[in-house]
Structure formats: structure tokens, C-alpha cells
Amino acid sequence: MAGKPGEPEDPMALVGVELPGGDADLMAACLVDEYVRLGLSDERLLALFRSPFYAGAHAVYRARGEAYVKTLIARARARWGRPRFTVRRAGPGGGGEA
């Protein structure tokens, strides 16, 4: 319910934790891979890393710099290319015919 106040022991509360021994480089590469595969352009992806609103991506940007992020994007682009999407309208039978 939107008007219901949160409860201290709510089992569905979102809680973020840091795991020991995490690999920040691997996390950054996975993050870039995910957004490349979702179809973000290089410019939009770099803007995401520049934005403090995206805390994890921005922390990588601040710690490693823009050149590092551009290298990650280039590697992901070489691996995944540029996704192409096709939109099909369902026909009268709902089978996806045009």
C-alpha cells in the first residue's frame, strides 16, 4: 500500500550490502555489458557513469576516470556489437504475423 508506513522488520525491505573481496573492475565490466546489451548508445552509457544518481557506476567513474570507462564500453561493444530490435505486431490470431 502506498499510504502504509514502512515497518522496521519488513522482510521485503531493500537492503544493500558490500561483500568482502569484491572485484570493482569485474563489477564495472558487467554493468557496462548489461547496458550495452540493453541497447544504450555509447554516449548514453557514458552519461550514466558521469551521473551521481547511478552511485555504483559513478563511483567507478570517479575512481578510474573517463578513459577507463570508455575502454570498458569499447570492449563490451567489440564483444556484443550493437543490438538490433525488431517489433512485430500481433495479427488477428495473436501469432505475430504482420
Side-chain angles (χ1 to χ4, degrees):
M1 250 186 185
K4 180 182 171 195
E7 299 175 19
E9 300 300 320
D10 185 355
M12 299 302 287
L14 182 60
V15 178
V17 296
E18 182 178 344
L19 298 175
D23 184 344
D25 292 323
L26 178 61
M27 185 270 308
C30 289
L31 193 59
V32 169
D33 278 0
E34 179 177 351
Y35 284 113
V36 163
R37 293 179 71 193
L38 284 172
L40 262 69
S41 68
D42 295 359
E43 296 79 24
R44 284 192 64 200
L45 187 49
L46 189 56
L48 184 142
F49 273 81
R50 287 177 180 147
S51 172
F53 183 76
Y54 297 96
H58 190 63
V60 170
Y61 181 83
R62 282 193 336 259
R64 303 274 200 249
E66 187 165 314
Y68 175 79
V69 174
K70 285 181 175 181
T71 299
L72 289 178
I73 294 171
R75 286 182 192 157
R77 197 61 73 195
R79 185 172 30 254
W80 299 109
R82 297 196 180 271
R84 287 177 270 168
F85 300 96
T86 302
V87 177
R88 294 186 180 177
R89 298 190 187 276
E97 299 85 24

